[in-house]
């Protein structure tokens, strides 16, 4: 396999409700240095421009906080991810929060406009809200809606101002292709904390969610086999891994929105290793490590490093 790995570091954390995820990527790098792991020295590291100065100002977008800054992040990611893929590189992205993942998807689609893209979303949350349905306005709950180009007006609870809506439509159009994925090509693993509006979308589009109980009862091998079958007609696959997919008791609470009863680190490793070994996989992303919230010093970053090292070893075989 021996992929040309590039670590893409994205420290913008403007879409979460808590602060500190911007320190997550460097916490993983610090964990590597402490361990004596040289994966960040042996592979190219590229850092994306940060827009975190926006956190020092108020936002006028109640139902899509700092969406103006997120439009810039999407654009930056679209350009960089597309460039790396077109140069036959394999991006492993270490990002602050999950809100930027829609920009990653845009970049993959820009690189492969004629290819069918499958998404494996490993997370405690569905991240499929829109400004019309969000209870918080935090945009790390909305990236998949931008990729699917949905508004979910069927579950509308918010009156979205025209200025916010203009930015929302801009996010959906980043890269010039909309929608970027089909709901049939989206698979969840470990999602267990959703709102009713999100449940409605999952039901309406029949989006598959392999719950933690499914992983336990059927085993990782059966789950990934089923996902392979579901995505067999996709030309390429993107894997997005939120560390809150794991059980905080077994890892730590070093993430913005931890949810109990998640995956074990061993289950997460086996799932990620499988998709790293799939030639269709073109990008893997890790998000939401927050050392400011870690009651076990830097444990979440250390667990994440172990996962990253595993997929690097697989990609380098």
């Amino acid at each position: 396999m021996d992929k040309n790995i590039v670590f893409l570091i994205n420290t913008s954390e403007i879409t979460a409700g808590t602060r500190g995820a911007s320190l997550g990527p460097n916490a993983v790098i610090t964990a590597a240095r402490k361990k004596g792991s040289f994966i960040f020295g042996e592979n190219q590291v590229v850092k994306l421009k940060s827009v975190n100065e926006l956190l020092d100002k108020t936002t006028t977008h109640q139902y899509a906080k700092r969406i103006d800054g997120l439009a810039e992040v999407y654009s930056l990611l679209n350009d960089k991810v597309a460039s790396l893929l077109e140069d036959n590189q394999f991006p492993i992205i270490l990002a602050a929060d999950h809100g930027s993942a829609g920009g990653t998807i845009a970049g993959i689609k820009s690189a492969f406009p004629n290819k069918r893209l499958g998404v494996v979303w490993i997370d405690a949350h569905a991240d499929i809200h829109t400004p019309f349905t969000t209870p918080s306005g935090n945009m790390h709950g909305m990236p998949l809606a931008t990729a699917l180009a949905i508004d979910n007006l069927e579950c509308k609870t918010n009156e979205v101002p025209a200025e916010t809506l203009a930015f929302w439509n801009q996010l959906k159009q980043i890269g010039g292709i909309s929608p970027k994925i089909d709901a049939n090509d989206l698979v969840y693993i470990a999602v267990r904390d959703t709102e009713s509006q999100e449940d409605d979308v999952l039901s309406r589009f029949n989006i598959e969610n392999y719950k933690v109980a499914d992983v336990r009862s059927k085993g990782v091998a059966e789950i990934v086999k089923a996902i392979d079958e579901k995505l067999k007609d996709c030309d390429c696959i993107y894997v997005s891994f939120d560390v809150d997919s794991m059980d905080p008791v077994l890892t730590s609470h070093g993430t913005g929105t931890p949810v109990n009863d998640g995956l074990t680190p061993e289950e997460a490793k086996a799932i990620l290793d499988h998709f790293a070994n799939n030639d269709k996989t073109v990008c893997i992303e890790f998000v939401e490590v927050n050392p400011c919230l870690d009651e076990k010093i830097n444990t979440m970053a250390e667990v994440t490093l172990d996962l990253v090292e595993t997929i690097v070893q697989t990609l380098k075989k």
Side-chain angles (χ1 to χ4, degrees), residues 12-22 55 65-66 70 96-100 136-141 255-257 288 290:
S12 292
E13 62 162 307
I14 61 172
T15 71
T18 57
R19 303 279 70 84
S22 61
L55 295 169
K65 295 174 182 175
R66 298 180 179 86
L70 187 58
D97 55 49
H98 222 163
S100 61
S136 68
N138 295 325
M139 296 211 66
H140 67 166
T255 187
T257 48
E288 299 280 1
N290 190 331

Side-chain angles (χ1 to χ4, degrees), residues 2 18 25 34 40 51 59 74 76 102 107 123 132 180 194 211 247 279 291 298 312:
D2 198 13
T18 57
K34 177 182 175 183
F40 295 104
V51 298
T59 176
Y74 265 41
L76 290 167
D123 198 331
F132 295 100
K180 296 169 177 63
T194 58
K211 298 181 180 179
D247 194 310
D279 283 337
N298 202 32
V312 167

Side-chain angles (χ1 to χ4, degrees), residues 172-235:
K172 291 187 287 185
Q173 293 292 336
I174 292 286
I177 301 173
S178 182
K180 296 169 177 63
I181 60 171
D182 187 280
N184 291 321
D185 299 329
L186 168 62
V187 179
Y188 286 120
I189 301 177
V191 168
R192 57 196 184 278
D193 184 13
T194 58
E195 280 82 33
S196 60
Q197 302 96 325
E198 295 180 297
D199 293 336
D200 186 84
V201 172
L202 270 62
S203 176
R204 193 185 327 140
F205 291 102
N206 196 29
I207 298 172
E208 192 80 55
N209 175 25
Y210 292 97
K211 298 181 180 179
V212 175
D214 299 324
V215 176
R216 298 280 152 77
S217 63
K218 299 178 182 179
V220 169
E222 281 300 309
I223 296 299
V224 295
K225 180 181 178 181
I227 294 172
D228 285 344
E229 177 63 23
K230 181 172 179 58
L231 302 182
K232 66 180 181 181
D233 294 326
C234 291
D235 302 299

Side-chain angles (χ1 to χ4, degrees), residues 269-298:
K269 182 185 292 188
I271 292 167
L272 288 167
D273 186 57
H274 172 83
F275 288 108
N277 202 40
N278 186 334
D279 283 337
K280 290 185 178 181
T281 302
V282 297
C283 176
I284 300 177
E285 183 158 13
F286 294 85
V287 303
E288 299 280 1
V289 174
N290 190 331
C292 292
L293 303 174
D294 199 324
E295 81 280 20
K296 300 178 184 177
I297 313 300
N298 202 32

